[in-house]
Amino acid sequence: MNDERGYELSDEALEELESDVMSASASIAQVHAERNAAEERADYLLSQLDQADSRVKARYGRWLVNADQELQDQLALLAEDPQGLARGFEGQLELCEGVLDAPWGPGPALLNRHTLGAFAQALGQYLLIACNDPSVILAGERGEADLPLCRVVAEVLASFGVVTYLAAYAQEASAVAELVVGKHADAGICLTASPEGACGPVQVLGCDGEPLCEAACKQINASLRDVDMFDDIRRFDLRKALREGLVIPLDKGKSS
């Protein structure tokens, strides 16, 4: 690691890792202006929801104000989509048989940067209790296209002191399972791809490379229900995590 920038990641991989909308810097004035605009839009959109359940409206309103900019247009469209609103805001994302299997979109019951961060937080809490010096293998089937999402997971896990071995290149769940066993990691996470090439379900593996057991899933889900995904999520600066060995890039040619 003589190259100050290097971390053994390609320029393209670094660019994808750094394109994190949740960590984008902005002036205080800009933040306040965007917040005021979001609150005004939220008030208007909520006034259009005559038939929605009060709990759904409350959750939807909070997401309208707090969700990252990437989700804002999708959230606005839900004011005219009762089925989409119910799908995203009536339930809770859950890990079942080692899989987070939900569509990608805005809301606490769907997969997105915020719920992925909340899952990583719940997983980090579980690993700290269940393992000594826990480590995780993290990869995406779409390779560098998944790195911004991998960054969210890696930064949250780093905040708990969980070491994350990150593959910047495409890896299927079966390869992640082999890496988990080969590196004696405590868990594996694979962001799968849909048949159309978009983000698919998230597969979570145990230390044996098999889908995470149901007992562990239940513990993680219990923690996930208690996480406030806008106020509670802990994140550790990625570059600092790389320097301190909390995030370790995997060399494609050295899988063990």
Side-chain angles (χ1 to χ4, degrees):
M1 294 191 185
N2 294 327
D3 182 355
E4 181 182 2
R5 184 211 57 198
Y7 306 121
E8 299 180 6
L9 293 174
S10 68
D11 290 340
E12 293 79 7
L14 279 170
E15 183 177 347
E16 287 297 332
L17 278 169
E18 291 167 354
S19 63
D20 179 13
V21 298
M22 293 175 72
S23 295
S25 60
S27 69
I28 294 176
Q30 181 182 348
V31 169
H32 281 299
E34 291 176 354
R35 177 85 180 187
N36 289 337
E39 289 176 346
E40 290 179 5
R41 180 166 60 172
D43 288 341
Y44 171 74
L45 292 172
L46 287 169
S47 70
Q48 311 301 306
L49 302 178
D50 297 330
Q51 305 300 321
D53 177 88
S54 59
R55 181 167 178 266
V56 169
K57 289 179 70 173
R59 296 175 94 182
Y60 177 56
R62 189 151 188 258
W63 275 71
L64 284 168
V65 174
N66 292 284
D68 66 77
Q69 194 63 43
E70 189 173 306
L71 296 176
Q72 289 302 316
D73 291 340
Q74 297 178 55
L75 284 162
L77 291 173
L78 292 181
E80 301 175 0
D81 181 9
Q83 290 185 338
L85 190 66
R87 183 170 60 248
F89 290 88
E90 283 186 348
Q92 174 81 33
L93 184 69
E94 289 194 339
L95 182 64
C96 184
E97 297 182 352
V99 181
L100 290 169
D101 190 6
W104 286 80
L110 303 181
L111 277 165
N112 50 67
R113 290 173 183 266
H114 300 287
T115 55
L116 193 61
F119 155 72
Q121 177 122 338
L123 177 63
Q125 291 169 337
Y126 165 77
L127 289 174
L128 281 187
I129 296 171
C131 312
N132 293 321
D133 300 322
S135 62
V136 169
I137 305 294
L138 173 62
E141 289 189 345
R142 303 186 307 154
E144 291 178 357
D146 285 324
L147 284 179
L149 294 170
C150 287
R151 173 179 177 158
V152 174
V153 176
E155 287 188 339
V156 174
L157 291 177
S159 75
F160 287 91
V162 177
V163 173
T164 298
Y165 293 93
L166 172 61
Y169 49 91
Q171 284 280 62
E172 294 184 352
S174 58
V176 172
E178 291 180 5
L179 284 166
V180 168
V181 174
K183 285 191 167 292
H184 306 288
D186 298 290
I189 302 169
C190 183
L191 308 178
T192 71
S194 70
E196 296 78 26
C199 293
V202 177
Q203 294 195 22
V204 186
L205 308 171
C207 61
D208 56 359
E210 297 295 323
L212 196 65
C213 69
E214 206 56 26
C217 291
K218 288 181 179 179
Q219 292 183 53
I220 292 169
N221 287 335
S223 295
L224 185 55
R225 286 190 288 271
D226 292 335
V227 172
D228 184 319
M229 58 194 65
F230 295 119
D231 291 337
D232 292 346
I233 307 302
R234 296 164 40 175
R235 297 182 71 179
F236 195 99
D237 180 74
L238 177 71
R239 287 207 172 250
K240 186 176 180 182
L242 285 161
R243 288 195 299 270
E244 296 187 7
L246 288 167
V247 175
I248 301 173
L250 280 172
D251 187 327
K252 192 171 185 179
K254 298 178 181 178
S255 60
S256 61

